[in-house]
Amino acid sequence: MSTVRTRFAPSPTGYLHIGGARTALFNYLFARHHHGAFVLRVEDTDRERSTPESTDAIFESLRWLGLEWDEGPFLQSERTALYREHAQRLLATGHAYRCVCTAEQLEEQRQAAQRSGAKSAYDRRCRTRDLGPDAGPFTIRFKTPLSGDTVVDDIVRGPVVFQNAEMDDLIIVRSDGSPTYNFCVVVDDALMQISHNIRGDDHLANTPKQVLIYQALGHPTPRFAHVPLILGLDRARLSKRHGATSVLSYRDDGFLPDALNNYLARLGWSAGDQEIFTRDELIEKFSLDHVGASAGVFNPEKLAWVNAQHLKHLTPAALADAVKPFIAARGWVVPGDDTWLGRMASTLQERAQTLTELVDASTYYFSETVQIDPAAAAKHLAKANRAAVQDLRDSLAAADAWTLPTIEAAFQAVLQRHALALGKLAQPVRVALTGGTVSPGIYEVAEVLGRARVLARLDAALPLVGTAAAAPAD
Protein backbone atom coordinates (compact mmCIF):
# COMPACT_ATOMS: atom_id res chain seq x y z
CA MET A 1 0.00 0.00 0.00
CA SER A 2 2.15 2.86 -1.24
CA THR A 3 -0.75 5.33 -1.26
CA VAL A 4 -1.97 6.59 2.10
CA ARG A 5 -5.63 5.74 2.60
CA THR A 6 -7.39 6.46 5.88
CA ARG A 7 -10.98 6.04 6.92
CA PHE A 8 -13.50 7.25 9.45
CA ALA A 9 -16.10 4.63 10.32
CA PRO A 10 -18.69 5.89 12.80
CA SER A 11 -21.61 3.89 14.14
CA PRO A 12 -24.85 5.84 13.57
CA THR A 13 -26.27 5.28 17.03
CA GLY A 14 -26.21 8.98 18.02
CA TYR A 15 -24.69 12.32 17.16
CA LEU A 16 -21.04 12.77 16.27
CA HIS A 17 -19.33 13.54 19.54
CA ILE A 18 -16.08 15.31 20.29
CA GLY A 19 -13.99 12.13 20.48
CA GLY A 20 -15.30 10.88 17.15
CA ALA A 21 -14.73 14.27 15.56
CA ARG A 22 -11.08 14.22 16.62
CA THR A 23 -10.67 10.72 15.19
CA ALA A 24 -12.16 11.88 11.89
CA LEU A 25 -9.93 14.96 11.94
CA PHE A 26 -6.73 12.97 12.51
CA ASN A 27 -7.60 10.63 9.64
CA TYR A 28 -8.47 13.57 7.40
CA LEU A 29 -5.29 15.51 8.21
CA PHE A 30 -3.04 12.47 7.77
CA ALA A 31 -4.56 11.67 4.38
CA ARG A 32 -4.36 15.28 3.20
CA HIS A 33 -0.78 15.67 4.45
CA HIS A 34 0.29 12.65 2.39
CA HIS A 35 -1.92 13.52 -0.61
CA GLY A 36 -3.87 10.33 0.01
CA ALA A 37 -7.56 9.45 0.26
CA PHE A 38 -9.98 9.88 3.16
CA VAL A 39 -12.78 7.30 3.11
CA LEU A 40 -16.10 7.52 4.97
CA ARG A 41 -17.80 4.30 6.00
CA VAL A 42 -20.90 3.96 8.18
CA GLU A 43 -20.84 0.91 10.46
CA ASP A 44 -24.59 0.42 10.75
CA THR A 45 -24.73 -3.30 11.45
CA ASP A 46 -26.29 -2.63 14.87
CA ARG A 47 -29.83 -2.83 13.53
CA GLU A 48 -31.55 -1.95 16.78
CA ARG A 49 -29.60 1.23 17.57
CA SER A 50 -28.59 2.56 14.13
CA THR A 51 -30.90 5.23 12.73
CA PRO A 52 -31.05 7.27 9.50
CA GLU A 53 -31.34 10.42 11.64
CA SER A 54 -28.01 9.70 13.32
CA THR A 55 -26.41 8.95 9.96
CA ASP A 56 -27.59 12.27 8.55
CA ALA A 57 -26.39 14.12 11.66
CA ILE A 58 -22.93 12.59 11.31
CA PHE A 59 -22.73 13.65 7.67
CA GLU A 60 -23.91 17.15 8.59
CA SER A 61 -21.29 17.39 11.35
CA LEU A 62 -18.44 16.31 9.07
CA ARG A 63 -19.50 18.75 6.38
CA TRP A 64 -19.71 21.59 8.89
CA LEU A 65 -16.21 20.76 10.13
CA GLY A 66 -15.03 20.78 6.51
CA LEU A 67 -13.85 17.16 6.68
CA GLU A 68 -14.96 16.28 3.18
CA TRP A 69 -14.40 12.65 2.27
CA ASP A 70 -12.95 11.41 -1.04
CA GLU A 71 -14.80 8.11 -1.20
CA GLY A 72 -18.10 6.99 0.28
CA PRO A 73 -20.14 7.07 2.28
CA PHE A 74 -20.22 3.28 2.28
CA LEU A 75 -22.89 1.58 4.39
CA GLN A 76 -22.04 -1.76 5.96
CA SER A 77 -25.72 -2.72 5.80
CA GLU A 78 -25.37 -2.76 2.00
CA ARG A 79 -22.26 -4.98 1.99
CA THR A 80 -23.64 -8.17 3.58
CA ALA A 81 -22.87 -10.33 0.55
CA LEU A 82 -19.17 -9.44 0.83
CA TYR A 83 -19.04 -10.48 4.48
CA ARG A 84 -20.76 -13.77 3.77
CA GLU A 85 -18.31 -14.49 0.96
CA HIS A 86 -15.34 -13.89 3.27
CA ALA A 87 -16.89 -15.95 6.06
CA GLN A 88 -17.26 -18.87 3.64
CA ARG A 89 -13.61 -18.43 2.67
CA LEU A 90 -12.55 -18.75 6.31
CA LEU A 91 -14.71 -21.86 6.72
CA ALA A 92 -13.23 -23.39 3.60
CA THR A 93 -9.65 -22.77 4.71
CA GLY A 94 -10.21 -24.07 8.23
CA HIS A 95 -9.84 -20.66 9.92
CA ALA A 96 -13.44 -20.65 11.12
CA TYR A 97 -16.05 -23.15 12.26
CA ARG A 98 -19.76 -23.44 12.85
CA CYS A 99 -20.94 -23.38 16.45
CA VAL A 100 -24.38 -24.66 17.48
CA CYS A 101 -24.11 -23.79 21.16
CA THR A 102 -27.27 -22.04 22.34
CA ALA A 103 -27.41 -18.86 24.38
CA GLU A 104 -28.48 -20.96 27.38
CA GLN A 105 -25.49 -23.26 27.01
CA LEU A 106 -23.11 -20.33 26.73
CA GLU A 107 -24.61 -18.78 29.85
CA GLU A 108 -24.14 -22.07 31.73
CA GLN A 109 -20.49 -22.13 30.63
CA ARG A 110 -20.03 -18.55 31.83
CA GLN A 111 -21.52 -19.24 35.23
CA ALA A 112 -19.51 -22.43 35.64
CA ALA A 113 -16.33 -20.53 34.84
CA GLN A 114 -17.21 -17.90 37.41
CA ARG A 115 -17.84 -20.52 40.09
CA SER A 116 -14.46 -22.15 39.43
CA GLY A 117 -12.61 -18.85 39.21
CA ALA A 118 -11.65 -19.50 35.60
CA LYS A 119 -11.72 -16.95 32.79
CA SER A 120 -15.19 -16.51 31.33
CA ALA A 121 -14.65 -17.68 27.74
CA TYR A 122 -16.19 -20.06 25.27
CA ASP A 123 -14.89 -23.59 25.88
CA ARG A 124 -14.48 -24.26 22.14
CA ARG A 125 -16.56 -27.46 22.27
CA CYS A 126 -17.64 -27.02 18.62
CA ARG A 127 -14.14 -26.23 17.34
CA THR A 128 -13.33 -29.81 16.34
CA ARG A 129 -16.81 -31.04 15.46
CA ASP A 130 -16.64 -30.08 11.77
CA LEU A 131 -20.31 -29.16 11.64
CA GLY A 132 -21.91 -28.62 8.24
CA PRO A 133 -24.47 -26.02 7.12
CA ASP A 134 -27.31 -28.39 8.00
CA ALA A 135 -26.33 -28.70 11.66
CA GLY A 136 -29.16 -26.41 12.72
CA PRO A 137 -29.01 -22.77 13.89
CA PHE A 138 -25.34 -21.85 14.14
CA THR A 139 -22.94 -18.98 14.53
CA ILE A 140 -19.59 -18.85 12.77
CA ARG A 141 -16.58 -18.48 15.05
CA PHE A 142 -13.04 -17.52 14.13
CA LYS A 143 -10.49 -20.17 15.06
CA THR A 144 -8.01 -18.21 17.18
CA PRO A 145 -4.54 -19.79 17.49
CA LEU A 146 -4.20 -21.53 20.84
CA SER A 147 -0.59 -20.49 21.40
CA GLY A 148 1.90 -17.84 20.40
CA ASP A 149 1.68 -14.05 20.42
CA THR A 150 0.09 -11.42 18.23
CA VAL A 151 2.07 -8.19 18.10
CA VAL A 152 0.44 -4.90 17.21
CA ASP A 153 3.16 -2.49 16.08
CA ASP A 154 1.30 0.66 17.01
CA ILE A 155 2.56 4.00 15.68
CA VAL A 156 1.58 5.85 18.86
CA ARG A 157 2.11 3.23 21.57
CA GLY A 158 4.88 1.15 20.05
CA PRO A 159 4.77 -2.68 19.95
CA VAL A 160 1.94 -4.16 22.04
CA VAL A 161 2.05 -7.93 22.62
CA PHE A 162 -1.08 -10.05 23.09
CA GLN A 163 -1.04 -13.74 24.01
CA ASN A 164 -3.27 -15.74 21.69
CA ALA A 165 -4.24 -18.11 24.48
CA GLU A 166 -5.94 -15.20 26.25
CA MET A 167 -8.25 -14.53 23.30
CA ASP A 168 -11.59 -16.16 22.65
CA ASP A 169 -12.86 -17.77 19.46
CA LEU A 170 -14.90 -14.73 18.57
CA ILE A 171 -18.16 -14.93 16.67
CA ILE A 172 -17.83 -13.40 13.20
CA VAL A 173 -21.34 -14.23 11.94
CA ARG A 174 -24.38 -14.38 14.25
CA SER A 175 -27.01 -17.10 14.08
CA ASP A 176 -29.30 -14.76 12.10
CA GLY A 177 -26.62 -14.43 9.43
CA SER A 178 -25.54 -10.89 10.37
CA PRO A 179 -21.79 -10.24 10.57
CA THR A 180 -20.16 -8.82 13.70
CA TYR A 181 -18.14 -5.66 14.11
CA ASN A 182 -14.62 -7.09 14.25
CA PHE A 183 -15.17 -9.15 11.12
CA CYS A 184 -16.80 -6.37 9.07
CA VAL A 185 -14.00 -3.97 9.95
CA VAL A 186 -11.34 -6.29 8.57
CA VAL A 187 -13.21 -7.12 5.36
CA ASP A 188 -14.01 -3.47 4.68
CA ASP A 189 -10.56 -2.09 5.49
CA ALA A 190 -8.94 -4.78 3.37
CA LEU A 191 -11.19 -4.28 0.35
CA MET A 192 -10.94 -0.49 0.65
CA GLN A 193 -7.15 -0.81 0.87
CA ILE A 194 -6.89 1.23 4.04
CA SER A 195 -3.22 1.81 4.74
CA HIS A 196 -3.50 3.47 8.17
CA ASN A 197 -6.14 2.79 10.79
CA ILE A 198 -6.20 5.78 13.16
CA ARG A 199 -8.69 5.36 15.99
CA GLY A 200 -9.21 5.71 19.74
CA ASP A 201 -7.20 3.49 22.02
CA ASP A 202 -10.43 1.99 23.39
CA HIS A 203 -10.26 -0.13 20.21
CA LEU A 204 -6.82 -1.51 21.03
CA ALA A 205 -8.23 -4.66 22.65
CA ASN A 206 -9.99 -5.50 19.36
CA THR A 207 -6.87 -5.06 17.25
CA PRO A 208 -5.12 -8.43 17.81
CA LYS A 209 -8.34 -10.24 16.86
CA GLN A 210 -8.53 -8.20 13.68
CA VAL A 211 -4.86 -8.76 12.88
CA LEU A 212 -5.42 -12.52 13.05
CA ILE A 213 -8.39 -12.27 10.70
CA TYR A 214 -6.32 -10.24 8.23
CA GLN A 215 -3.68 -12.93 8.28
CA ALA A 216 -6.22 -15.74 7.85
CA LEU A 217 -7.76 -13.99 4.85
CA GLY A 218 -4.34 -13.31 3.32
CA HIS A 219 -4.79 -9.53 3.33
CA PRO A 220 -2.02 -7.09 4.27
CA THR A 221 -2.46 -5.52 7.70
CA PRO A 222 -2.74 -1.72 7.85
CA ARG A 223 -0.61 0.34 10.18
CA PHE A 224 -2.43 1.03 13.43
CA ALA A 225 -2.33 4.24 15.44
CA HIS A 226 -4.39 4.19 18.62
CA VAL A 227 -4.76 7.73 19.91
CA PRO A 228 -5.52 8.38 23.59
CA LEU A 229 -9.02 9.19 24.74
CA ILE A 230 -10.27 12.66 25.63
CA LEU A 231 -10.95 13.29 29.31
CA GLY A 232 -12.89 15.95 31.17
CA LEU A 233 -11.30 18.37 33.61
CA ASP A 234 -11.95 15.82 36.36
CA ARG A 235 -9.85 13.29 34.40
CA ALA A 236 -12.89 11.09 33.80
CA ARG A 237 -13.84 10.01 30.29
CA LEU A 238 -15.56 12.86 28.45
CA SER A 239 -19.35 12.59 28.68
CA LYS A 240 -22.49 14.73 28.64
CA ARG A 241 -21.95 15.78 32.24
CA HIS A 242 -18.85 17.68 31.13
CA GLY A 243 -20.97 19.89 28.87
CA ALA A 244 -21.85 19.76 25.21
CA THR A 245 -20.23 16.81 23.48
CA SER A 246 -22.13 16.83 20.18
CA VAL A 247 -20.34 18.58 17.33
CA LEU A 248 -23.57 20.20 16.16
CA SER A 249 -24.17 21.69 19.61
CA TYR A 250 -20.89 23.58 19.27
CA ARG A 251 -22.00 24.84 15.87
CA ASP A 252 -25.27 26.04 17.38
CA ASP A 253 -23.42 27.68 20.27
CA GLY A 254 -21.50 29.88 17.86
CA PHE A 255 -18.15 28.13 17.52
CA LEU A 256 -16.27 28.20 14.22
CA PRO A 257 -15.44 24.89 12.51
CA ASP A 258 -11.78 25.81 11.99
CA ALA A 259 -11.49 26.75 15.66
CA LEU A 260 -12.97 23.45 16.82
CA ASN A 261 -10.67 21.56 14.45
CA ASN A 262 -7.72 23.58 15.75
CA TYR A 263 -8.58 22.78 19.36
CA LEU A 264 -9.26 19.10 18.75
CA ALA A 265 -6.02 18.69 16.80
CA ARG A 266 -4.09 19.99 19.79
CA LEU A 267 -5.74 17.44 22.12
CA GLY A 268 -3.01 14.85 21.83
CA TRP A 269 -0.91 16.32 19.01
CA SER A 270 1.65 19.10 19.11
CA ALA A 271 3.77 21.15 16.75
CA GLY A 272 6.16 22.97 19.03
CA ASP A 273 4.65 25.87 20.95
CA GLN A 274 2.21 26.90 18.24
CA GLU A 275 -1.39 27.04 19.48
CA ILE A 276 -3.38 28.61 16.63
CA PHE A 277 -3.44 26.91 13.24
CA THR A 278 -5.22 27.53 10.00
CA ARG A 279 -6.60 24.48 8.22
CA ASP A 280 -3.73 24.58 5.72
CA GLU A 281 -1.19 24.72 8.54
CA LEU A 282 -2.76 21.69 10.22
CA ILE A 283 -2.55 19.74 6.97
CA GLU A 284 1.04 20.83 6.39
CA LYS A 285 2.32 20.02 9.88
CA PHE A 286 0.24 17.06 11.04
CA SER A 287 2.21 13.92 11.80
CA LEU A 288 1.44 10.81 13.80
CA ASP A 289 4.98 11.01 15.15
CA HIS A 290 3.86 13.93 17.32
CA VAL A 291 0.72 12.32 18.73
CA GLY A 292 1.28 11.64 22.42
CA ALA A 293 0.30 8.53 24.34
CA SER A 294 -1.31 10.39 27.24
CA ALA A 295 -4.96 11.42 27.26
CA GLY A 296 -5.98 14.94 26.28
CA VAL A 297 -8.04 17.00 28.72
CA PHE A 298 -10.97 18.89 27.25
CA ASN A 299 -11.05 22.44 28.63
CA PRO A 300 -14.09 24.48 27.54
CA GLU A 301 -12.39 27.75 28.49
CA LYS A 302 -9.40 26.96 26.29
CA LEU A 303 -11.71 26.08 23.41
CA ALA A 304 -13.49 29.43 23.81
CA TRP A 305 -10.11 31.21 23.75
CA VAL A 306 -9.08 29.38 20.57
CA ASN A 307 -12.41 30.27 19.00
CA ALA A 308 -11.91 33.92 19.90
CA GLN A 309 -8.52 33.93 18.13
CA HIS A 310 -10.09 32.52 14.96
CA LEU A 311 -13.02 34.92 15.22
CA LYS A 312 -10.66 37.90 15.31
CA HIS A 313 -9.14 36.89 11.97
CA LEU A 314 -12.36 36.58 9.99
CA THR A 315 -12.81 39.07 7.19
CA PRO A 316 -15.93 41.28 7.21
CA ALA A 317 -17.38 39.20 4.37
CA ALA A 318 -16.79 35.94 6.28
CA LEU A 319 -18.24 37.46 9.43
CA ALA A 320 -21.36 38.53 7.56
CA ASP A 321 -21.97 34.97 6.37
CA ALA A 322 -21.20 33.51 9.79
CA VAL A 323 -23.61 35.66 11.81
CA LYS A 324 -26.66 35.33 9.56
CA PRO A 325 -28.08 32.11 11.08
CA PHE A 326 -27.66 33.51 14.59
CA ILE A 327 -29.46 36.70 13.66
CA ALA A 328 -32.29 34.71 12.10
CA ALA A 329 -32.46 32.46 15.18
CA ARG A 330 -33.39 35.50 17.28
CA GLY A 331 -36.27 36.33 14.99
CA TRP A 332 -34.55 39.41 13.61
CA VAL A 333 -34.64 40.34 9.94
CA VAL A 334 -31.33 39.40 8.31
CA PRO A 335 -30.14 42.49 6.41
CA GLY A 336 -29.70 42.09 2.69
CA ASP A 337 -26.68 44.40 2.75
CA ASP A 338 -23.70 42.10 3.43
CA THR A 339 -21.33 45.07 3.46
CA TRP A 340 -23.25 46.69 6.31
CA LEU A 341 -23.54 43.35 8.09
CA GLY A 342 -19.78 42.81 7.84
CA ARG A 343 -19.06 46.30 9.21
CA MET A 344 -21.48 45.75 12.07
CA ALA A 345 -19.97 42.40 13.06
CA SER A 346 -16.43 43.77 12.70
CA THR A 347 -17.08 46.30 15.45
CA LEU A 348 -17.82 43.45 17.87
CA GLN A 349 -15.44 40.68 16.81
CA GLU A 350 -12.65 41.71 19.21
CA ARG A 351 -15.10 41.60 22.11
CA ALA A 352 -16.72 38.20 21.55
CA GLN A 353 -15.51 34.64 22.01
CA THR A 354 -18.30 33.07 19.95
CA LEU A 355 -20.73 34.10 17.24
CA THR A 356 -23.52 33.78 19.81
CA GLU A 357 -21.83 36.31 22.06
CA LEU A 358 -21.25 38.61 19.12
CA VAL A 359 -24.89 38.61 18.05
CA ASP A 360 -26.08 38.90 21.66
CA ALA A 361 -24.05 42.12 21.91
CA SER A 362 -25.44 43.54 18.65
CA THR A 363 -29.04 44.13 19.76
CA TYR A 364 -28.85 47.93 19.48
CA TYR A 365 -27.79 47.62 15.85
CA PHE A 366 -31.01 45.80 14.95
CA SER A 367 -33.56 47.83 16.91
CA GLU A 368 -35.16 51.10 15.92
CA THR A 369 -35.08 52.36 19.50
CA VAL A 370 -33.18 51.40 22.64
CA GLN A 371 -34.17 51.02 26.26
CA ILE A 372 -31.78 53.16 28.28
CA ASP A 373 -30.50 51.51 31.43
CA PRO A 374 -31.57 53.67 34.42
CA ALA A 375 -28.23 53.27 36.16
CA ALA A 376 -26.39 54.36 33.01
CA ALA A 377 -28.70 57.35 32.64
CA ALA A 378 -28.12 58.38 36.24
CA LYS A 379 -24.35 58.15 35.90
CA HIS A 380 -23.79 59.60 32.44
CA LEU A 381 -26.85 61.49 31.21
CA ALA A 382 -27.80 63.33 34.38
CA LYS A 383 -24.38 64.93 34.69
CA ALA A 384 -23.67 65.43 30.99
CA ASN A 385 -23.19 68.76 29.23
CA ARG A 386 -26.55 69.19 27.51
CA ALA A 387 -25.31 72.01 25.31
CA ALA A 388 -22.43 69.85 24.04
CA VAL A 389 -24.70 66.90 23.26
CA GLN A 390 -27.13 69.20 21.42
CA ASP A 391 -24.23 70.77 19.54
CA LEU A 392 -23.00 67.31 18.52
CA ARG A 393 -26.47 66.30 17.37
CA ASP A 394 -26.72 69.37 15.17
CA SER A 395 -23.17 68.94 13.83
CA LEU A 396 -23.86 65.32 12.86
CA ALA A 397 -27.10 66.36 11.16
CA ALA A 398 -25.22 68.94 9.11
CA ALA A 399 -22.26 66.72 8.16
CA ASP A 400 -21.68 66.50 4.41
CA ALA A 401 -21.22 62.70 4.50
CA TRP A 402 -21.74 59.87 6.97
CA THR A 403 -18.27 58.39 7.32
CA LEU A 404 -15.90 57.64 10.17
CA PRO A 405 -13.75 60.73 9.39
CA THR A 406 -16.73 63.12 9.31
CA ILE A 407 -18.20 61.64 12.49
CA GLU A 408 -14.87 61.92 14.30
CA ALA A 409 -14.41 65.48 13.03
CA ALA A 410 -17.82 66.45 14.40
CA PHE A 411 -16.94 65.03 17.83
CA GLN A 412 -13.56 66.74 17.92
CA ALA A 413 -15.00 70.12 16.96
CA VAL A 414 -17.63 69.92 19.73
CA LEU A 415 -15.01 68.85 22.28
CA GLN A 416 -12.91 71.88 21.43
CA ARG A 417 -15.83 74.31 21.51
CA HIS A 418 -16.96 73.11 24.93
CA ALA A 419 -13.51 72.32 26.37
CA LEU A 420 -14.41 68.72 27.15
CA ALA A 421 -12.43 65.50 27.36
CA LEU A 422 -13.67 62.78 24.99
CA GLY A 423 -15.12 60.66 27.80
CA LYS A 424 -17.39 63.50 28.94
CA LEU A 425 -19.10 63.45 25.56
CA ALA A 426 -18.59 59.88 24.36
CA GLN A 427 -20.17 58.18 27.39
CA PRO A 428 -23.49 60.04 27.36
CA VAL A 429 -23.68 59.58 23.59
CA ARG A 430 -22.91 55.86 24.03
CA VAL A 431 -25.76 55.55 26.53
CA ALA A 432 -28.07 57.36 24.12
CA LEU A 433 -27.13 55.19 21.13
CA THR A 434 -26.83 51.77 22.79
CA GLY A 435 -28.76 52.05 26.04
CA GLY A 436 -25.72 51.04 28.08
CA THR A 437 -22.15 51.95 28.97
CA VAL A 438 -20.22 49.28 27.07
CA SER A 439 -19.84 49.19 23.29
CA PRO A 440 -17.24 49.33 20.55
CA GLY A 441 -15.71 52.71 19.67
CA ILE A 442 -18.41 55.37 19.58
CA TYR A 443 -17.40 56.57 16.10
CA GLU A 444 -17.73 53.05 14.71
CA VAL A 445 -21.07 52.51 16.43
CA ALA A 446 -22.46 55.76 15.06
CA GLU A 447 -21.21 55.01 11.54
CA VAL A 448 -22.83 51.56 11.50
CA LEU A 449 -26.12 52.77 13.02
CA GLY A 450 -26.48 55.38 10.31
CA ARG A 451 -27.37 59.04 10.50
CA ALA A 452 -31.14 58.62 10.86
CA ARG A 453 -31.00 56.29 13.85
CA VAL A 454 -28.22 58.24 15.55
CA LEU A 455 -30.16 61.51 15.33
CA ALA A 456 -33.39 59.84 16.47
CA ARG A 457 -31.70 58.29 19.51
CA LEU A 458 -29.97 61.54 20.46
CA ASP A 459 -33.30 63.35 20.16
CA ALA A 460 -34.91 60.75 22.43
CA ALA A 461 -32.14 61.06 25.02
CA LEU A 462 -31.68 64.83 25.03
CA PRO A 463 -34.58 65.50 27.42
CA LEU A 464 -32.71 63.42 30.01
CA VAL A 465 -29.30 65.00 29.47
CA GLY A 466 -28.21 67.31 32.28
CA THR A 467 -31.47 66.96 34.19
CA ALA A 468 -32.62 65.36 37.42
CA ALA A 469 -35.03 63.23 35.38
CA ALA A 470 -32.08 61.10 34.28
CA ALA A 471 -31.29 60.24 37.89
CA PRO A 472 -33.29 57.60 39.79
CA ALA A 473 -35.89 58.83 42.23
CA ASP A 474 -35.03 58.73 45.94
Side-chain angles (χ1 to χ4, degrees):
M1 299 180 186
S2 58
T3 301
V4 167
R5 291 175 60 82
T6 66
R7 54 52 158 198
F8 179 55
S11 297
T13 56
Y15 293 101
L16 180 64
H17 54 77
I18 288 298
R22 189 190 62 170
T23 297
L25 175 65
F26 279 12
N27 280 279
Y28 170 87
L29 293 176
F30 190 76
R32 291 290 178 267
H33 178 82
H34 292 281
H35 306 286
F38 175 53
V39 179
L40 177 61
R41 183 176 73 236
V42 179
E43 299 186 339
D44 58 346
T45 54
D46 187 337
R47 298 173 181 175
E48 294 183 358
R49 299 175 59 213
S50 297
T51 66
E53 293 77 16
S54 293
T55 301
D56 291 341
I58 290 170
F59 294 166
E60 185 179 359
S61 299
L62 292 173
R63 290 191 180 104
W64 177 70
L65 289 170
L67 306 183
E68 293 291 346
W69 50 93
D70 302 300
E71 298 176 21
F74 300 101
L75 303 180
Q76 283 189 335
S77 58
E78 298 176 353
R79 298 168 62 83
T80 305
L82 292 170
Y83 309 135
R84 289 175 179 166
E85 174 189 332
H86 282 73
Q88 290 302 315
R89 186 193 303 181
L90 291 177
L91 285 170
T93 57
H95 289 100
Y97 60 93
R98 296 177 182 88
C99 173
V100 295
C101 294
T102 65
E104 292 76 17
Q105 290 173 320
L106 295 174
E107 178 61 19
E108 289 176 4
Q109 292 179 37
R110 189 188 67 81
Q111 292 181 5
Q114 284 184 336
R115 288 192 296 269
S116 65
K119 180 181 177 181
S120 180
Y122 176 55
D123 64 7
R124 296 184 167 101
R125 65 178 62 180
C126 290
R127 182 173 172 127
T128 59
R129 295 179 65 184
D130 194 23
L131 297 170
D134 298 325
F138 61 85
T139 61
I140 299 178
R141 290 182 179 270
F142 181 74
K143 193 178 291 185
T144 303
L146 300 178
S147 61
D149 297 328
T150 297
V151 179
V152 177
D153 187 13
D154 193 84
I155 296 173
V156 174
R157 302 171 63 96
V160 185
V161 180
F162 297 86
Q163 294 181 338
N164 294 335
E166 295 297 314
M167 289 188 275
D168 208 347
D169 281 4
L170 73 152
I171 294 173
I172 60 174
V173 179
R174 303 179 184 92
S175 58
D176 63 1
S178 61
T180 59
Y181 165 77
N182 280 301
F183 184 52
C184 295
V185 166
V186 172
V187 174
D188 285 337
D189 282 353
L191 295 182
M192 295 174 187
Q193 297 184 302
I194 301 303
S195 66
H196 291 76
N197 189 332
I198 306 167
R199 56 189 182 183
D201 62 10
D202 53 335
H203 287 281
L204 182 59
N206 289 322
T207 306
K209 308 170 190 176
Q210 294 170 10
V211 168
L212 290 170
I213 297 174
Y214 276 109
Q215 293 171 350
L217 288 171
H219 290 302
T221 305
R223 294 296 310 278
F224 289 97
H226 290 90
V227 299
L229 298 178
I230 300 175
L231 307 179
L233 290 173
D234 58 358
R235 308 295 297 185
R237 184 167 180 172
L238 195 66
S239 65
K240 290 182 180 179
R241 67 188 176 86
H242 294 104
T245 58
S246 162
V247 166
L248 294 180
S249 68
Y250 285 96
R251 177 198 64 182
D252 297 342
D253 287 342
F255 287 84
L256 299 169
D258 280 353
L260 186 55
N261 283 331
N262 183 162
Y263 181 72
L264 291 179
R266 292 286 287 111
L267 281 180
W269 170 79
S270 64
D273 296 329
Q274 185 173 349
E275 291 280 355
I276 304 302
F277 296 83
T278 65
R279 180 180 299 265
D280 288 343
E281 286 176 326
L282 286 176
I283 291 172
E284 175 191 351
K285 299 186 178 186
F286 185 79
S287 167
L288 291 174
D289 296 337
H290 293 93
V291 174
S294 58
V297 176
F298 188 84
N299 186 331
E301 291 184 0
K302 182 63 175 292
L303 170 59
W305 178 82
V306 170
N307 197 71
Q309 308 315 304
H310 280 265
L311 189 60
K312 290 176 183 178
H313 289 92
L314 288 185
T315 65
L319 269 174
D321 284 337
V323 298
K324 287 178 182 178
F326 297 92
I327 294 170
R330 283 159 179 75
W332 302 344
V333 176
V334 178
D337 184 349
D338 280 4
T339 301
W340 179 88
L341 195 55
R343 291 204 315 274
M344 180 280 297
S346 295
T347 68
L348 296 165
Q349 73 183 124
E350 292 282 341
R351 297 167 170 265
Q353 288 192 309
T354 66
L355 294 168
T356 303
E357 287 184 9
L358 189 153
V359 174
D360 284 344
S362 71
T363 304
Y364 50 81
Y365 283 129
F366 289 91
S367 57
E368 288 303 315
T369 60
V370 294
Q371 290 291 113
I372 294 178
D373 176 53
K379 183 174 182 180
H380 296 289
L381 294 184
K383 303 175 183 178
N385 185 319
R386 182 187 178 109
V389 176
Q390 182 69 58
D391 188 3
L392 176 66
R393 186 261 178 224
D394 295 338
S395 297
L396 292 173
D400 293 336
W402 195 257
T403 64
L404 279 175
T406 59
I407 293 168
E408 182 176 1
F411 268 84
Q412 292 300 323
V414 171
L415 293 173
Q416 289 185 7
R417 286 195 291 270
H418 296 268
L420 294 174
L422 177 60
K424 295 296 184 180
L425 183 60
Q427 275 302 83
V429 171
R430 178 173 284 108
V431 172
L433 298 188
T434 70
T437 59
V438 178
S439 79
I442 194 61
Y443 306 147
E444 288 80 6
V445 171
E447 192 270 335
V448 171
L449 280 172
R451 192 194 306 255
R453 283 195 290 177
V454 167
L455 297 181
R457 292 181 189 187
L458 288 174
D459 288 340
L462 270 167
L464 299 176
V465 176
T467 68
D474 293 335

